[in-house]
Amino acid sequence: MRKGEVAEVAANVFMARGTDVNWVLVRDGEDVTLIDGGWPGDVAAVEASVRAIGRRPEDVRAVLLTHAHLDHMGALNHFHERYGAPVYTHTTEVGHARRERLEQATPVDVLKQFVRPGGAGWILRILRAGALTHPSIPHARPFPTEGALDLPGNPVPVPCAGHTSGHVAYLLPDQGVVASGDALVTGHPLSRTTGPQLIPAFFTHFPEESRESLDAFAKLDAGVLAPGHGEPWRGSMADAVEAARASA
């Protein structure tokens, strides 16, 4: 996928590409659930992706956050402040979103990637997209109920801590899609491989726990992986986990 592209990965489930990062839209009648929101510089692209599926930004009923890293939370304050969309995430991740603590790569960690193949271009792109900004989401809320959420697509939160302490994926059971955030990806500009894999380790706050959390995906009844980075992937989640463990 190219930047600005929106692809329907299953009926009424769409993956959109921003600045080397993806977000997911779930359409149900006139309503939309947005999962993640790109970099701060991707706000216009997130709005455009909602229009690309035939809906308006004000049709977004809620935004679900996989984890509170800069490249996934960029449009969330905009959708809340302009359109009134609530932002939900795992209760453990709420404090991270509100910046009561910080679990992400440091600027020094990022600059060290300059010498890696593809690193210089990636750094320049994310700087333009807002990598030096410091947003928080003070209005972030924990999920209002346990199990499936009463939102378009009936998303089911799947806790998979490790990348951050409250990272959560979302299973869309009716469409057989998993929006996996950064807990299980299929590529990254700093990775030389494609297919199911763990994101480069320096991004991850608890690497051992992130490897253990792959077990949460292996049990899911789904045939499409919609990751936070990389291309959509089709196959069983057990096969995706096996591939990710092999690449690690």
Side-chain angles (χ1 to χ4, degrees):
M1 294 176 64
R2 297 176 304 233
K3 182 177 180 179
E5 186 177 352
V6 181
E8 189 168 15
V9 298
N12 291 308
V13 180
F14 304 82
M15 197 168 91
R17 174 68 53 83
T19 305
D20 295 322
V21 69
N22 306 321
W23 54 88
V24 173
L25 304 117
V26 188
R27 185 177 62 192
D28 186 354
E30 297 299 316
D31 299 330
V32 175
T33 297
L34 172 64
I35 302 176
D36 285 345
W39 289 94
D42 289 329
V43 172
V46 177
E47 282 210 350
S49 70
V50 177
R51 294 188 178 97
I53 67 169
R55 297 296 177 263
R56 305 167 301 161
E58 49 264 48
D59 295 329
V60 173
R61 294 294 162 251
V63 186
L64 301 179
L65 180 64
T66 60
H67 65 294
H69 280 171
L70 287 174
D71 55 335
H72 295 262
M73 55 193 279
L76 275 60
N77 283 333
H78 174 78
F79 271 80
H80 177 74
E81 293 164 4
R82 183 162 184 179
Y83 304 114
V87 174
Y88 297 113
T89 191
H90 191 281
T91 184
T92 304
E93 196 70 6
V94 167
H96 190 200
R98 293 176 179 175
R99 289 304 184 251
E100 295 165 7
R101 65 180 190 281
L102 188 60
E103 299 174 356
Q104 67 180 30
T106 68
V108 172
D109 293 328
V110 171
L111 289 174
K112 286 179 179 178
Q113 311 311 310
F114 190 87
V115 298
R116 295 177 64 160
W122 171 73
I123 289 171
L124 291 173
R125 290 193 297 275
I126 67 170
L127 287 174
R128 289 194 294 266
L132 295 179
T133 60
H134 305 282
S136 66
I137 309 173
H139 49 86
R141 311 179 197 172
F143 301 126
T145 59
E146 294 186 1
L149 302 174
D150 186 19
L151 292 171
N154 299 309
V156 179
V158 181
C160 45
H163 186 65
T164 64
S165 57
H167 192 292
V168 62
Y170 298 95
L171 171 66
L172 304 169
D174 293 342
Q175 298 90 349
V177 178
V178 179
S180 58
D182 286 4
L184 178 59
V185 302
T186 61
H188 190 275
L190 299 179
S191 174
R192 297 298 92 193
T193 63
T194 59
Q197 60 190 276
L198 293 172
I199 200 163
F202 80 93
F203 288 116
T204 295
H205 206 64
F206 305 103
E208 184 175 350
E209 194 172 351
S210 74
R211 292 189 290 271
E212 294 171 354
S213 285
L214 288 173
D215 292 340
F217 291 96
K219 304 170 185 176
L220 299 179
D221 182 15
V224 180
L225 183 67
H229 301 274
E231 301 294 322
W233 185 87
R234 298 180 185 278
S236 75
M237 292 303 104
D239 287 345
V241 168
E242 183 178 354
R245 292 196 188 282
S247 72

